Amino acid sequence: MKPLFFNNVAIEAVAYVLPTKVVTSTEIESQLAATMARWA
Amino acid sequence: MKPGMLQGLTGIRERRFWEAGQQASDVATLAAEKVLARTGIPREAIGCLISTSVSKDYIEPSVASLVHGNLGLADHCISYDIGNACLGFVNAMASLGMMIDAGFVDYGLIVDGENSRDVVAATLDRLRKPDAAAEAFRDQFATLTLGSGAVAMILCRSDLSTSGHLLNGAVTRAATRHCRLCLGQRDYMTADASKVMIFGVDLAKQTWDFASQVLANWSDAEIDAYIPHQVSQRNMDVLNAKLGLTPQKHHLNFPTLGNIGPAAVPITLGQAAETGRIRPGNHVALMGIGSGLNCSMMSVTW
């Protein structure tokens, strides 16, 4: 594909929303503790 | 398998999950309402709505149709999904940009709502089973890096814009000989993360070199800020070394958001603007890549 060149296009605005529930990597690993111990 | 490996290998400390039952269209609608309120652009002015969500409420209808209905957009506003893994949002920006330049649309809206909660939970259930093999952990490891978020962007004719953030140009390259390295379904994803990184960075280099030939002011010295798709520190280090990028020019949020798929580039752009990391007049490089493999880079004057 050839390059695209824009003549009359602007990003007017961007907005985002993030979930409030935070899950740490430590918490995820804790759910796998028994499995990881078996593989150690 | 040692404790701390997930954060140690990826640099991801945490990620976020929506509450149970929240769907891609629900959270994409929240982001769309926010951007419409921020700009004051009337809904009847929106001529096109594209959703790039990898997460989906249903196989059909499109997520875009659901968001269109939630927002009460006008009957003349076309809506559809663009699906291209983590690259979808940048593809949608290019597609909508062409529609605006062609005169079909004055204002268009792109949305993305990612919900990783269910696939991560299903993966943990599988890996907790007594017969789960270490190979399964390796193949599904990348799933545990996924996060969630929602974003919406309005593109418009620059002569109608109040922001002055100009889309200059874009290039794209494909390496679909690697199309089966990462395979995702609603409750299961498997990835050869090492090969995705190696071949993905190779593709990014091809795309970067092409951009250097055809896009104005496309060099590390002339670009003020990079807004990359981002999945781990290791990937960023390899990318920077291969392309010769100044690491400090990246705006990074993967340590707290994880891999949020196609929402990563626009959310990162929004955060970079909010924090003053990018300022009016800066040359900003959007760098998207997605499993498949496909890569696009886009030049923006902020």
Side-chain angles (χ1 to χ4, degrees):
Chain A
M1 184 177 178
K2 295 179 180 178
L4 292 173
F5 296 106
F6 303 103
N7 299 307
N8 190 24
V9 184
I11 299 172
E12 182 63 359
V14 58
Y16 60 90
V17 180
L18 297 175
T20 55
K21 181 176 178 57
V22 174
V23 179
T24 67
S25 291
T26 303
E27 289 169 332
I28 285 184
E29 282 189 353
S30 71
Q31 296 185 57
L32 294 172
T35 304
M36 294 175 77
R38 197 172 69 243
W39 292 335
Chain B
M1 310 296 169
K2 297 177 181 176
M5 195 174 77
L6 183 51
Q7 180 174 338
L9 285 177
T10 64
I12 297 170
R13 292 194 305 275
E14 60 192 39
R15 75 285 291 138
R16 292 161 182 257
F17 291 155
W18 301 108
E19 296 301 322
Q22 283 187 292
Q23 298 291 328
S25 69
D26 298 329
V27 297
T29 299
L30 292 175
E33 291 281 12
K34 190 171 181 179
V35 81
L36 287 167
R38 180 176 294 174
T39 59
I41 293 168
R43 287 163 205 248
E44 58 269 24
I46 303 295
C48 176
L49 168 66
I50 302 172
S51 169
T52 65
S53 309
V54 171
S55 303
K56 297 187 186 307
D57 304 42
Y58 310 103
I59 293 174
E60 64 176 22
S62 67
V63 175
S65 290
L66 298 169
V67 175
H68 190 295
N70 291 345
L71 294 173
L73 296 181
D75 291 352
H76 63 73
C77 174
I78 187 174
S79 69
Y80 52 90
D81 289 357
I82 287 180
N84 200 13
C86 297
L87 186 57
F89 204 98
V90 179
N91 291 149
M93 291 176 68
S95 297
L96 180 54
M98 287 189 282
M99 293 174 72
I100 291 170
D101 254 347
F104 291 120
V105 173
D106 292 333
Y107 292 92
L109 179 60
I110 306 169
V111 299
D112 190 282
E114 298 304 331
N115 176 15
S116 61
R117 178 188 180 116
D118 293 344
V119 70
V120 171
T123 300
L124 289 171
D125 285 345
R126 277 191 299 276
L127 295 178
R128 278 196 296 259
K129 290 181 177 176
D131 60 347
E135 290 74 18
F137 181 77
R138 179 197 63 202
D139 295 343
Q140 297 172 57
F141 180 81
T143 312
L144 305 178
T145 70
L146 297 177
S148 304
V151 64
M153 176 183 285
I154 291 176
L155 297 185
C156 69
R157 282 171 30 202
S158 54
D159 58 300
L160 296 174
S161 174
T162 61
S163 75
H165 308 321
L166 300 178
L167 230 58
N168 301 315
V171 297
T172 187
R173 283 290 182 264
T176 53
R177 55 195 170 279
H178 306 302
C179 63
R180 297 185 182 278
L181 290 180
C182 179
L183 303 172
Q185 299 186 43
R186 193 180 187 90
D187 62 352
Y188 179 82
M189 187 179 90
T190 180
D192 187 330
S194 179
K195 287 184 178 176
V196 169
M197 181 182 72
I198 293 167
F199 296 127
V201 170
D202 284 347
L203 179 61
K205 179 71 163 71
Q206 290 179 41
T207 313
W208 172 271
D209 289 345
F210 182 42
S212 301
Q213 295 167 18
V214 298
L215 297 181
N217 306 317
W218 193 272
S219 70
D220 184 63
E222 296 167 294
I223 292 170
D224 298 300
Y226 299 114
I227 305 295
H229 180 58
Q230 47 193 291
V231 299
S232 76
Q233 187 59 54
R234 174 68 178 149
N235 275 263
M236 294 309 305
D237 293 342
V238 174
L239 180 76
N240 291 337
K242 184 92 173 183
L243 274 60
L245 309 182
T246 302
Q248 293 76 16
K249 291 186 177 182
H250 288 287
H251 188 83
L252 300 178
N253 51 26
F254 69 86
T256 56
L257 298 183
N259 176 1
I260 49 176
V265 166
I267 286 180
T268 306
L269 181 66
Q271 290 184 332
E274 283 176 0
T275 58
R277 187 73 184 266
I278 57 174
R279 299 176 183 280
N282 278 175
H283 186 201
V284 179
L286 308 187
M287 306 170 73
I289 193 162
S291 61
L293 298 164
N294 295 285
C295 182
S296 291
M297 297 185 183
M298 182 173 280
S299 166
V300 174
T301 302
W302 197 251

